[in-house]
Amino acid sequence: MTAAQFPGLSRRGFIGLAGAAAAGVALTACAGTGGGGEKGGDANTITFWSNHPGTSKEFELELIDRFHAKHPDLRVDLVDAGKNYEEVSQKFNAALSGGALPDVVVLSDVWWFNYALNGTIEPLDKHFGDAGVRLDDYVDSLAADYLFGGKHYALPYARSTPLFYYNKDVWAKAGLPDRGPESWPEFDEWGPRIQSVVGEGKLAHGWGDAKNYLAWTFQGPNWTFGGAYSDGWTLKFTEPGTIAAGNFLREMIHTKKYAGIKPQIAVDFGAGVIASTIASTGDLRGIKKNAEGKLSFGTAFLPHPNGPGVTTGGAGLAIPARISDERKVNALRFIEFITNAESTAYFSQNTGYMPVRKSAVNDPSEQRFLAENPNAKVAIEQLPLTKSQDYARVFVPGGDQIIGTGLEQIGLQNADPATTFANVAQQLQTIVDRQITPKLPK
């Protein structure tokens, strides 16, 4: 399957088509396709299911209050739908099989296309005019991430990239320049110096575990070693570059002993337990709060000496297909409002996520905020250096956890990278052969 076979689709649209086809079997059994949702319901009450990305509930409530002020005839009911994206998706999936559906639901980068394939979330384009949506004001690359078959199935909301966070106080004591490393080999030279400063019981660098998206944060570093999880549907775990990246991870943890895998990297970094980490832009607010009065920190691009060393992630907002058109339009009015220039600037300033509207960057409040908070500016400046995620993580059912578990085995158990990655590849290839290849368009 190649993009040339689908000339009507953009590259990201083709990726969405391929990924959705791949995920078909995974959601065929679990995404409801019957009459789980009602066409009726109160069109003037908008039910919003969210996990409050980046501990954002208070800011979502503020945006809802602002929406009420502008649309007094509409009410929004914010529902705690789970503590993370996975739990929201599970709750939504259950509702599709029988239960009351929300009007708006948060779906992450690895979930939305499953529902698009099954026809359980609404293609939004035909409602843009009625809801006042100006698609051309959304950041092109972020809006295009939800393009499948020429239609948009969500709009960007809590969008992020991984950032390199570093403890400036430790950096200064280690005699390092006030910046992130330009390459991972350079950081490998810095690691022992940083470790000598932080001392026993602390680490120069902490990686998140599989549950905290290790497969996502390690994807960019893998690219800089010439590796990849996949190239299209061709797995690349046994390639020399990927094995070299795995060996780097193993050696920094088990040989040089300046790094480790930690289940709470944002908390540990803010507390000074680890001197650097890769975490989401969405962690910026929490880290700033935890670090206040304890340490000074900076953010930087992920090392990218040989090309893109970072990808994007996060979540968008989608609308169920099986609610009435009136509910869909009102739901989209709400989505448009909480992602407009003023709202996305407010949300970004308080969480660390990127503004999703082009005009937001020129908003006076955003300009002042970025001038006063250079750490928040890094994600926006890094955006042109990102590239789309490898299929193996986002399109293969369970791929994120399979890859993350393999990386954990290297980091926690000192497992051999070549052997571990071969096993990861075998697991993923079985899924591709059984669940994906038969579903791909011929």
Side-chain angles (χ1 to χ4, degrees):
M1 178 179 179
T2 67
Q5 292 175 272
F6 300 90
L9 293 179
S10 68
R11 180 180 182 277
R12 286 180 183 257
F14 164 72
I15 289 173
L17 170 62
V25 170
L27 265 287
T28 296
C30 58
T33 55
E38 70 287 348
K39 282 284 186 179
D42 181 4
N44 294 324
T45 299
I46 300 164
T47 304
F48 175 27
W49 283 9
S50 178
N51 64 307
H52 322 302
T55 61
S56 59
K57 184 174 182 178
E58 64 180 290
F59 311 117
E60 290 178 330
L61 289 170
E62 170 62 26
L63 291 174
I64 288 170
D65 285 343
R66 296 181 185 184
F67 178 77
H68 289 160
K70 184 174 181 180
H71 299 277
D73 55 325
L74 299 175
R75 303 300 299 173
V76 177
D77 180 16
L78 179 62
V79 174
D80 296 330
K83 65 182 180 182
N84 54 37
Y85 296 137
E86 287 72 22
E87 289 190 1
V88 175
S89 185
Q90 290 165 8
K91 181 179 176 70
F92 182 54
N93 188 69
L96 289 169
S97 299
L101 290 168
D103 296 272
V104 177
V105 60
V106 171
L107 294 177
S108 80
D109 54 351
V110 300
W111 288 109
W112 71 268
F113 53 80
N114 298 293
Y115 299 108
L117 175 69
N118 284 278
T120 53
I121 57 174
E122 179 78 358
L124 303 178
D125 305 68
K126 64 183 178 182
H127 303 295
F128 284 167
D130 290 336
V133 173
R134 284 188 49 211
L135 185 65
D136 62 352
D137 190 41
Y138 286 88
V139 176
D140 294 333
S141 60
L142 301 182
D145 280 336
Y146 306 102
L147 191 62
F148 166 44
K151 300 174 182 178
H152 294 83
Y153 283 82
L155 287 174
Y157 174 51
R159 295 304 307 273
S160 62
T161 63
L163 292 177
F164 186 90
Y165 291 80
Y166 66 99
N167 185 320
K168 289 192 172 191
D169 302 328
V170 171
W171 252 236
K173 291 178 182 178
L176 298 174
D178 186 8
R179 62 171 174 83
E182 295 179 352
S183 69
W184 287 108
E186 179 180 51
F187 186 65
D188 201 35
E189 296 176 359
W190 292 1
R193 293 168 60 183
I194 299 169
Q195 187 61 44
S196 66
V197 169
V198 298
E200 189 175 353
K202 298 181 179 180
L203 290 170
H205 188 78
W207 296 92
D209 60 11
K211 291 182 179 179
N212 285 282
Y213 310 113
L214 176 56
W216 181 57
T217 57
F218 194 73
Q219 192 166 199
N222 189 17
W223 290 338
T224 69
F225 281 86
Y229 297 152
S230 60
D231 180 5
W233 293 115
T234 303
L235 301 181
K236 294 290 183 178
F237 291 94
T238 58
E239 295 292 314
T242 308
I243 294 174
N247 279 323
F248 168 74
L249 178 67
R250 182 190 194 187
E251 289 171 4
M252 71 190 302
I253 293 175
H254 296 287
T255 303
K256 299 186 178 181
K257 301 184 184 303
Y258 67 83
I261 291 179
K262 307 284 285 186
Q264 294 183 306
I265 49 174
V267 173
D268 286 347
F269 178 78
V273 176
I274 54 178
S276 64
T277 192
I278 299 175
S280 168
T281 57
D283 290 315
L284 184 56
R285 174 176 171 266
I287 287 176
K288 183 178 179 180
K289 183 177 180 180
N290 290 338
E292 190 171 1
K294 302 174 186 175
L295 57 90
S296 174
F297 73 93
T299 61
F301 292 6
L302 266 64
H304 55 283
N306 302 314
V310 65
T311 189
T312 59
L317 299 175
I319 297 172
R322 293 200 307 272
I323 61 175
S324 69
D325 283 347
E326 186 179 6
R327 286 177 64 184
K328 291 171 185 173
V329 171
N330 285 338
L332 192 53
R333 285 195 179 104
F334 173 65
I335 292 174
E336 192 283 330
F337 181 87
I338 64 167
T339 61
N340 68 23
E342 183 179 355
S343 296
T344 193
Y346 169 81
F347 190 77
S348 171
Q349 291 163 21
N350 285 283
T351 62
Y353 286 105
M354 296 181 293
V356 301
R357 298 286 275 265
K358 298 172 186 174
S359 56
V361 179
N362 297 320
D363 183 269
S365 70
E366 184 72 1
Q367 287 289 309
R368 290 192 298 271
F369 176 79
L370 293 177
E372 296 169 0
N373 297 273
N375 283 334
K377 193 175 182 179
V378 172
I380 299 172
E381 295 175 334
Q382 185 178 232
L383 191 58
L385 298 173
T386 64
K387 74 172 186 176
S388 299
Q389 296 192 56
D390 293 339
Y391 288 17
R393 177 182 180 262
V394 290
F395 298 154
V396 177
D400 173 68
Q401 287 300 301
I402 292 171
I403 297 167
T405 298
L407 293 169
E408 271 192 351
Q409 290 170 349
I410 294 170
L412 295 176
Q413 302 171 21
N414 199 16
D416 174 61
T419 303
T420 302
F421 284 152
N423 182 49
V424 167
Q426 184 179 32
Q427 293 180 65
L428 295 176
Q429 191 64 57
T430 298
I431 296 171
V432 171
D433 291 344
R434 293 179 181 177
Q435 300 186 20
I436 297 175
T437 301
K439 294 282 184 176
L440 294 177
K442 306 300 182 184

